[in-house]
Amino acid sequence: MCPFCFASEPYYFHHGICRRCLPYRGASLEEKDQLCVLTQADLSIELTQAQIESAHQIIDHCFSTHVCVEAVCGAGKTEMCVPLIEHCLSRGLKIGWATPRKQIVIELSERLQTYFKDSKIVAVYGSNTEIVEGDLVVCTTHQIFRYHHYFDVLILDEPDAFPFKGNQLLQDLLRASLKGYCVFLSATFDNHQFINFGPIHKIYVNQRPSMEPLSVPIVTMSLWRMILELWFLRSEKVLLFVPTIQTATLFSKILQCRCITSKNEHAAQEIEQFRREQSGILVTTTVLERGVTFKDCFVVVYDAGHVVFDEASLTQISGRVRRGMNPKKGHCMFYVKERSKVVDACINRIQKANGAGYASQG
Ligand SMILES: [Zn+2]
């Protein structure tokens, strides 16, 4: 078996060398002793009782087994992990944060730096790999190969997102980066994904810090109803999700509004500008389904039954509304061309989470 990526299939090996992970080798860091620095997080918000309980549960378990935190969208997953980061940094343990999306790496590393002002937080992604070592590494799952047998604890945020989901090599390299255990975070887990990881302790958080239930999407089969909705919301902030880049470009021309897709090079600036505006429509694809928060925004999904939207992505998209501590407004509408099983499953999942309504341990 390859010690680097755990491949065992004979066709990967040539003269005893594993070809599967060859391009990823040679860049791995050497192990160094980490200094223990008394670290205290500077959180500008207070954690709720449910968040504190979950935070303690994570610390109680993640040094003896993998942990999976299934928390509804907007439950404050990042903040729940702050005590764990504090715990690791002040004991000289190597902790990392990996997530499939570059955009989330950028936003998250900035946010964590405001919580840990005295620590060196490094963001590592495709075009940003000059500095790869720090007190806390925040990286894309594509960069994890640099950290062979490195992390005492690795937080893996949104493992059900593209391009990590379904990529066996990335999952194996991630497993190889661990000295200890992994903490998986998501609102929308796919339980089959972690079979190779062994036993996992599950923690559920079904409540947002605002104590508000999740907003259940309104489903319509009338395109006119959707257009009318956009007209009603003309003085609000609206995220309009569409299935393809072509549709996004077309809609942004018709509606004369901003558009963010994976082809957009200045996405971060566009997001920032949209955040500052009082109202307007932002047309986007699944690229913005997770990790972004716009205060008091509304969500409309065009063609929610399209194959690019799965249950997880629709749940994440509908989770963009009524986030934060004191949301004032916001709801979500799905326009479907015909009845869709995936849309039904998403609504079921949200109603179930609302019914559970409190943090529980599994
Ligand atoms: Zn290998």
Side-chain angles (χ1 to χ4, degrees):
M1 189 166 76
C2 168
F4 205 86
C5 76
F6 305 135
S8 58
E9 298 82 348
Y11 49 81
Y12 284 127
F13 292 86
H14 189 69
H15 296 304
I17 294 167
C18 171
R19 300 274 155 159
R20 185 188 185 220
C21 60
L22 197 59
Y24 295 101
R25 271 180 277 163
S28 203
L29 296 169
E30 294 205 359
E31 204 172 319
K32 284 186 209 141
D33 280 337
Q34 171 121 343
L35 291 175
C36 308
V37 192
L38 196 60
T39 311
Q40 200 165 15
D42 178 8
L43 273 179
S44 49
I45 46 141
E46 246 177 74
L47 297 183
T48 63
Q49 197 52 41
Q51 286 176 318
I52 293 171
E53 274 167 31
S54 312
H56 285 163
Q57 277 193 48
I58 297 171
I59 295 174
D60 285 349
H61 291 94
C62 76
F63 296 98
S64 54
T65 179
H66 298 296
V67 174
C68 159
V69 184
E70 186 161 345
V72 293
C73 295
K77 286 179 281 130
T78 310
E79 287 70 22
M80 271 179 239
C81 289
V82 165
L84 170 66
I85 297 173
E86 222 173 43
H87 181 97
C88 290
L89 291 180
S90 48
R91 281 164 183 76
L93 297 170
K94 275 279 177 221
I95 177 152
W97 192 303
T99 179
R101 305 266 173 105
K102 167 185 149 188
Q103 196 53 45
I104 300 181
V105 168
I106 299 170
E107 292 207 7
L108 189 73
S109 55
E110 286 169 6
R111 191 152 134 218
L112 289 171
Q113 189 69 74
T114 65
Y115 297 161
F116 296 97
K117 292 198 173 62
D118 302 326
S119 303
K120 185 180 172 193
I121 315 261
V122 290
V124 183
Y125 50 89
S127 49
N128 201 45
T129 54
E130 268 161 41
I131 303 165
V132 293
E133 277 187 286
D135 299 320
L136 170 63
V137 173
V138 184
C139 67
T140 56
T141 45
H142 263 91
Q143 298 297 325
I144 206 79
F145 69 90
R146 297 177 186 280
Y147 305 95
H148 185 64
H149 198 63
Y150 188 83
F151 295 112
D152 294 297
V153 179
L154 180 68
I155 298 167
L156 176 56
D157 199 1
E158 315 275 16
D160 56 310
F162 180 80
F164 185 74
K165 186 182 187 176
N167 188 327
Q168 196 55 48
L169 177 57
L170 283 187
Q171 293 181 23
D172 288 342
L173 290 174
L174 184 118
R175 222 152 37 96
S177 76
L178 299 172
K179 279 194 287 185
Y181 297 95
C182 200
V183 177
F184 304 99
L185 305 177
S186 185
T188 43
F189 272 108
D190 169 356
N191 287 326
H192 307 293
Q193 217 187 331
F194 308 111
I195 287 171
N196 291 334
F197 280 81
I200 294 181
H201 178 83
K202 263 200 148 190
I203 296 170
Y204 297 92
V205 187
N206 288 316
Q207 203 172 51
R208 289 177 158 186
S210 60
M211 302 297 180
E212 278 211 27
L214 296 168
S215 165
V216 181
I218 306 157
V219 182
T220 178
M221 296 211 307
S222 153
L223 185 60
W224 283 111
R225 174 85 172 78
M226 188 197 96
I227 294 169
L228 207 60
E229 173 83 354
L230 290 174
W231 187 78
F232 277 131
L233 297 175
R234 64 194 180 284
S235 57
E236 305 290 350
K237 206 172 258 201
V238 182
L239 291 174
L240 173 56
F241 285 88
V242 300
T244 62
I245 295 178
Q246 289 93 314
T247 321
T249 318
L250 178 70
F251 274 34
S252 82
K253 277 193 187 131
I254 297 171
L255 299 165
Q256 304 257 304
C257 63
R258 290 185 195 285
C259 172
I260 292 181
T261 67
S262 55
K263 294 269 184 293
N264 200 313
E265 281 168 26
H266 307 289
Q269 289 103 303
E270 291 271 350
I271 290 171
E272 222 22 73
Q273 278 171 9
F274 182 69
R275 198 165 269 149
R276 280 201 297 268
E277 285 163 9
Q278 290 301 317
S279 62
I281 298 175
L282 173 68
V283 183
T284 188
T285 56
T286 52
V287 68
L288 284 194
E289 75 185 23
R290 318 160 178 254
V292 287
T293 295
F294 299 101
K295 200 165 170 32
D296 294 328
C297 76
F298 290 76
V299 166
V300 175
V301 183
Y302 169 78
D303 198 2
H306 192 283
V307 286
V308 309
F309 297 117
D310 59 13
E311 186 196 336
S313 66
L314 288 175
T315 309
Q316 295 281 357
I317 286 170
S318 65
R320 297 306 103 200
V321 302
R322 303 190 76 85
R323 294 169 78 86
M325 271 318 270
N326 298 300
K328 291 187 188 71
K329 52 191 171 184
H331 59 245
C332 173
M333 176 182 274
F334 289 168
Y335 161 67
V336 288
K337 292 178 175 167
E338 55 197 22
R339 214 181 155 94
S340 143
K341 274 189 186 149
V342 174
V343 169
D344 290 347
C346 159
I347 289 176
N348 259 330
R349 183 195 276 267
I350 293 170
Q351 285 172 334
K352 218 170 123 191
N354 280 346
Y358 56 90
S360 57
Q361 186 182 341

